[in-house]
């Protein structure tokens, strides 16, 4: 058995691996960048090695530094987690060449499944059904457009080296093809160093079904049943569950057998996932489920499989990497109950899911199982994926599991960083979701309704008003009257107060009851400003003093940087006429592209951004003067 393990990752997955390693008596070594010098995974590991500056390209993606850290600390093995170098065959080979144990599949297996076009060809030879599309070497725009036309719109452009939802674009019409292809290739090049693509027929009623597989060095391969990951945004999973709703035993048997064939075709060892796209227009049927890709690593959503099988997949990884066989046979594996997971992100759904960075001054996460890489007072860095935690719930059945996860989302409290907790709660409460009517397009089709900003309930605001009045009355009655009710000569005192709620004035009736102890969970920030938490959302509430002045916002036509980032494309020049919604430029931040658009018809009168430039949050990038 491995005695000392270096974890070539950070955040939640590093902490997850440390937990199992510690339970097995395996010592752990963390690697960390400048930004992660005081991170939770760095604090939890037995040892830590600094590997470079904050950008991942200068630290977590530099294999030589990671191997040197393992050699320096006497670690016998390297676990890559997911993301970063986890599916880099050259890095896996370098680890092995250095005399270390690679906790993952053979480099040849990674290579075989690493390029989606080659993988699909291999799967066809293994008798695994694949989605119709184009896998050719001719990558010219003309050839790709011709093939897209032959496949029939809508089509999906996918980076052959892609993953994690990056380098993917759905194209609905021929006139959009070239622009979407350009964007897809640019993102793929930045993320994977390879801008080649393939084309697939877009499935009109798609479900994302995946099967967890596991192999060892003794020729054994088993499956641990399926997961449904259909609720996605921009091809990134949001909520995952196991088993898949509506999956009958016959279909399960066929899809899981196909997954095992796929793993055996590449002589697979360790944890892996075979991902399928299902045409669910007539329910889940084996003849309408097609291979998409294989992820040759542990998946973000692996906890839901662990919850229904009772297996610790990280423990299996360490045992198999140490040369042991898989601990159980296929017939000994079974499912128990239902499990569901939500990814809690530091992002603001009401503002186009813009990532939110900063210090977690207040953090309360609740639930059956919480996987996180942060604690209160830690920072959400702009350099990495903005996931705060994974919230996982288990139940005897799907309804019980959903209720548990819904409670977790509703009870989440994070301040001042914004989160998607209230958005997750809305998804879980959707009638169609509760009924198992799922598709990968559900969020996109209903996004405007789902991201409508949350509003504080009357009960919450009334309790807040009572609390503020009670506190201020006990200190200075005249101050309370001026700040909350205002002074009106020759009139009886009013029974309402004015509050500032997230910058907006609201009038709230006072209650005749005493202060509602325990109802309003508040976090005192500055002066009488409180942050109130309700249903996964945070609201800043204070008395309305009718004070003038203060900072003013930028003019309506000023295009501000929503976060720190790098300008990767500028589509306009000073003097250009633009139309409402037209793309002006693209900002890359937190591993994602964010298009900034014109707020109305007008003319670009100022342009301070340039391609390749780094910008800070709220920097004025350009100004659009409205048309008369």
């Amino acid at each position: 058995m491995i005695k000392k393990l270096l974890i070539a990752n950070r955040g939640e997955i590093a902490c997850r691996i440390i937990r199992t390693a510690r339970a097995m008596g395996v010592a752990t070594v963390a690697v960390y960048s400048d930004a992660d010098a005081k991170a939770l995974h760095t604090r939890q590991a037995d040892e830590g090695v600094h590997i470079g500056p904050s950008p991942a390209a200068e630290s977590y993606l530099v294999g030589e530094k990671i191997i040197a850290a393992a050699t320096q600390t006497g670690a016998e093995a390297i676990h890559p987690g997911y993301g970063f170098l986890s599916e880099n065959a050259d890095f896996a080979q370098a680890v092995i060449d250095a005399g270390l144990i690679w906790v993952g599949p053979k480099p040849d297996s990674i290579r075989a499944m690493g390029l989606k076009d080659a993988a699909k060809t291999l799967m066809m030879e293994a008798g695994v059904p694949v989605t119709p599309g184009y896998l050719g070497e001719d990558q010219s725009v003309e050839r790709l457009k011709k093939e897209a036309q032959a496949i029939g719109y809508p089509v999906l452009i996918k980076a052959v080296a892609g993953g994690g939802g990056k380098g993917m674009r759905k194209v609905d019409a021929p006139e959009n093809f070239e622009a979407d292809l350009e964007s897809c290739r640019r993102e793929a090049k930045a993320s994977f160093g390879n801008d080649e693509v393939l084309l697939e027929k877009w499935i009109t009623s798609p479900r994302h079904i995946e099967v967890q597989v596991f192999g060892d060095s003794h020729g054994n391969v088993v499956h641990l049943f399926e997961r449904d990951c259909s609720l996605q945004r921009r091809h990134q999973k949001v909520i995952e569950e196991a088993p898949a709703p509506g999956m009958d035993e016959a279909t399960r048997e066929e899809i899981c057998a196909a997954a095992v064939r796929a793993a055996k075709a590449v002589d697979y060892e360790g944890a892996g996932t075979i991902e399928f796209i299902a045409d669910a227009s007539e329910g889940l049927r084996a003849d309408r489920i097609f291979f998409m890709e294989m992820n040759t690593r542990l998946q973000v959503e692996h906890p839901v499989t662990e919850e229904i099988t009772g297996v610790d997949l990280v423990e299996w990884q360490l045992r198999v990497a140490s040369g042991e066989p898989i601990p159980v046979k296929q017939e000994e594996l079974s499912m128990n109950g239902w499990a569901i997971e939500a990814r809690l992100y530091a992002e603001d759904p009401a503002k186009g899911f813009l990532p939110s960075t900063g210090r977690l001054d207040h953090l309360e996460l609740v639930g059956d199982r919480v996987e996180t890489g942060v604690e209160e007072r830690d920072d959400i860095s702009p350099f990495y994926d903005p996931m705060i935690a994974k919230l996982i719930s288990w139940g005897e059945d799907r309804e019980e599991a959903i209720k548990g996860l819904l409670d977790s989302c509703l009870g989440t409290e994070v301040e001042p960083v914004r989160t998607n907790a209230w958005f997750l709660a809305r998804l879980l409460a959707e009638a169609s979701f509760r009924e198992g009517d799922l598709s990968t397009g559900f969020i996109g089709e209903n996004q405007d309704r789902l991201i409508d900003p949350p509003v504080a309930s009357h009960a919450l605001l009334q309790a807040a008003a009572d609390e503020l009045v009670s506190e201020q009355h006990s200190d200075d009655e005249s101050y309370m009257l001026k700040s909350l009710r205002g002074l009106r000569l020759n009139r009886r005192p009013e029974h309402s107060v004015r509050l500032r709620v997230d910058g907006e004035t609201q009038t709230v009736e006072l209650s005749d009851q005493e202060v509602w102890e325990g109802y309003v969970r508040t976090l005192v920030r500055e002066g009488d400003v409180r942050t109130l938490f309700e249903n996964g959302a945070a609201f800043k509430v204070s008395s309305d003093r009718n004070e003038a002045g203060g900072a003013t916002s930028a003019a309506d036509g000023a295009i501000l940087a929503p976060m720190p980032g790098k300008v990767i494309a500028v589509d306009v020049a000073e003097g250009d006429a633009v139309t409402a919604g037209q793309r002006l430029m693209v900002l890359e931040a937190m591993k994602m592209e964010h298009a900034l658009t014109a707020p109305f018809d007008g003319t670009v009168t100022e342009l301070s951004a340039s391609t390749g430039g780094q910008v800070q949050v709220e920097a004025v990038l350009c100004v659009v003067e409205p048309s008369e």
Side-chain angles (χ1 to χ4, degrees):
M1 174 57 63
I2 295 165
K3 299 298 183 184
K4 181 181 280 193
L5 174 71
L6 183 141
I7 302 162
N9 218 296
R10 63 176 302 281
E12 168 267 323
I13 185 56
C15 294
R16 164 72 186 90
I17 296 167
I18 289 169
R19 186 175 70 246
T20 289
R22 180 171 292 136
M24 296 176 67
V26 178
T28 55
V29 178
V31 291
Y32 62 89
S33 66
D34 289 348
D36 284 338
K38 297 181 180 180
L40 184 59
H41 78 279
T42 307
R43 303 196 300 268
Q44 287 186 342
D46 297 304
E47 298 177 60
V49 178
H50 178 248
I51 54 171
S54 300
E58 301 176 49
S59 50
Y60 296 106
L61 289 172
V62 183
E64 295 83 355
K65 292 183 178 181
I66 292 169
I67 293 172
T71 303
Q72 169 190 330
T73 57
E76 305 162 70
I78 292 179
H79 193 309
Y82 50 69
F84 293 138
L85 295 170
S86 62
E87 295 182 278
N88 186 308
D90 291 340
F91 176 63
Q93 188 62 57
V95 169
I96 295 169
D97 291 344
L100 303 170
I101 296 171
W102 169 251
V103 184
K106 299 174 184 177
D108 286 346
S109 300
I110 298 175
R111 289 191 182 94
M113 288 297 196
L115 296 178
K116 291 182 173 60
D117 52 352
K120 289 183 71 172
T121 300
L122 183 62
M123 290 301 96
M124 287 188 285
E125 294 171 353
V128 179
V130 302
T131 313
Y134 172 70
L135 310 173
E137 294 182 4
D138 187 345
Q139 292 283 301
S140 66
V141 174
E142 292 74 19
R143 178 62 182 273
L144 291 171
K145 287 177 66 176
K146 180 180 178 181
E147 294 294 340
Q149 195 69 43
I151 294 168
Y153 287 91
V155 298
L156 182 65
I157 305 174
K158 295 174 66 173
V160 299
K166 295 177 179 62
M168 298 175 67
R169 297 291 185 278
K170 176 192 175 188
V171 189
D172 292 301
E175 57 267 26
N176 301 329
F177 187 85
E178 287 193 42
D180 287 336
L181 175 63
E182 176 192 352
S183 177
C184 182
R185 279 178 161 167
R186 182 171 57 240
E187 189 172 84
K189 185 70 174 179
S191 299
F192 316 111
N194 185 336
D195 66 356
E196 293 188 11
V197 301
L198 58 84
L199 304 178
E200 287 182 353
K201 176 64 180 173
W202 179 263
I203 305 297
T204 55
S205 299
R207 290 267 299 274
H208 181 118
I209 309 293
E210 60 187 35
V211 177
Q212 177 72 60
V213 294
F214 215 102
D216 62 26
S217 59
H218 303 273
N220 302 307
V221 177
V222 300
H223 69 79
L224 292 94
F225 311 103
E226 84 281 355
R227 299 184 288 255
D228 190 299
C229 307
S230 296
L231 282 190
Q232 302 178 7
R233 190 185 72 81
R234 295 182 64 182
H235 306 293
Q236 290 191 307
K237 300 165 188 173
V238 177
I239 291 176
E240 307 103 346
E241 58 184 305
M247 178 74 74
D248 60 45
E249 285 302 323
T251 304
R252 174 175 292 119
E253 184 176 337
E254 287 201 42
I255 188 176
C256 289
V260 170
R261 290 198 302 273
K264 287 184 175 180
V266 293
D267 194 21
Y268 199 78
E269 295 179 15
T273 299
I274 311 297
E275 298 196 338
F276 297 90
I277 189 75
D279 178 352
S281 57
E282 297 182 17
L284 293 178
R285 290 173 31 182
D287 63 346
R288 294 194 178 188
I289 299 178
F290 308 105
F291 171 84
M292 284 198 301
E293 62 183 338
M294 182 178 191
N295 287 313
T296 52
R297 53 171 168 80
L298 196 66
Q299 290 279 89
V300 177
E301 59 272 21
H302 76 273
V304 295
T305 293
E306 293 183 327
E307 289 296 311
I308 65 165
T309 61
V311 168
D312 184 328
L313 290 171
V314 175
E315 179 182 344
W316 277 25
Q317 284 186 300
L318 297 179
R319 292 193 180 281
V320 166
S322 298
E324 298 181 16
I326 297 171
V328 301
K329 299 184 183 302
Q330 184 68 66
E331 56 268 24
E332 297 175 290
L333 290 165
S334 61
M335 294 186 295
N336 176 36
W338 211 285
I340 185 166
E341 170 185 299
R343 304 187 188 193
L344 181 70
Y345 276 99
E347 62 186 12
D348 190 345
K351 294 184 178 179
F353 294 92
L354 287 176
S356 179
T357 61
R359 183 165 135 166
L360 298 165
D361 290 335
H362 177 75
L363 176 67
E364 182 171 329
L365 305 174
V366 295
D368 297 341
R369 176 174 175 178
V370 176
E371 299 283 358
T372 185
V374 293
E375 292 180 326
E376 194 165 271
R377 299 185 184 281
D378 284 347
D379 291 321
I380 298 296
S381 165
F383 294 101
Y384 315 113
D385 186 272
M387 187 166 70
I388 295 175
K390 300 183 308 196
L391 308 176
I392 304 105
S393 176
W394 179 90
E396 293 284 351
D397 54 30
R398 187 169 186 262
E399 183 177 350
E400 183 181 338
I402 291 174
K403 183 181 182 303
L405 184 57
L406 179 59
D407 289 343
S408 295
C409 294
L410 294 176
T412 293
E413 298 182 9
V414 184
E415 169 65 21
V417 171
R418 304 296 90 188
T419 81
N420 66 336
W422 56 267
F423 170 77
L424 295 171
R426 285 185 184 175
L427 280 175
L428 294 166
E430 280 287 317
S432 57
F433 171 75
R434 303 295 281 263
E435 295 166 2
D437 182 12
L438 310 176
S439 82
T440 58
F442 178 81
I443 292 177
E445 293 162 5
N446 298 278
Q447 181 163 301
D448 288 347
R449 174 172 54 82
L450 291 169
I451 65 173
D452 193 36
V455 177
S457 70
H458 176 73
L460 184 75
L461 295 181
Q462 189 176 66
D466 290 344
E467 182 177 274
L468 283 166
V469 168
S470 176
E471 289 181 1
Q472 294 184 10
H473 185 274
S474 64
D475 294 334
D476 183 345
E477 181 174 357
S478 64
Y479 173 80
M480 178 273 290
L481 289 172
K482 291 177 183 177
S483 63
L484 289 179
R485 301 184 184 179
L487 287 176
R488 297 194 179 187
L489 297 178
N490 303 319
R491 285 194 182 185
R492 286 181 5 185
E494 296 178 23
H495 292 282
S496 62
V497 299
R498 289 191 304 274
L499 298 180
R500 295 286 288 178
V501 184
D502 289 342
E504 299 291 331
T505 299
Q506 294 193 34
T507 301
V508 182
E509 294 294 324
L510 283 173
S511 169
D512 293 330
Q513 306 296 320
E514 296 295 323
V515 175
W516 298 354
E517 294 289 346
Y519 181 87
V520 185
R521 289 180 288 180
T522 63
L523 175 69
V524 178
R525 299 286 294 156
E526 295 180 5
D528 72 343
V529 178
R530 278 112 169 106
T531 298
L532 280 63
F533 299 99
E534 184 179 48
N535 298 335
F539 302 95
K540 289 187 181 297
V541 180
S542 64
S543 59
D544 180 20
R545 304 184 189 180
N546 294 324
E547 292 179 348
T552 58
S553 61
D556 288 346
I559 307 302
L560 308 181
M563 71 198 78
K566 179 181 179 181
V567 178
I568 59 173
V570 177
D571 301 330
V572 295
E574 285 190 17
D576 283 358
V578 295
T579 57
Q582 179 180 334
R583 195 179 82 174
L584 304 176
M585 63 192 68
V586 179
L587 184 67
E588 183 183 59
M590 300 186 87
K591 306 199 301 184
M592 296 294 289
E593 289 189 5
H594 305 276
L596 304 181
T597 60
F600 38 65
D601 294 351
T603 303
V604 177
T605 56
E606 296 180 28
L607 181 64
S608 56
S610 58
T611 302
Q614 294 285 340
V615 297
Q616 296 302 312
V617 64
E618 296 190 351
V620 178
L621 305 180
C622 76
V623 176
V624 177
E625 184 174 313
S627 303
E628 296 182 358

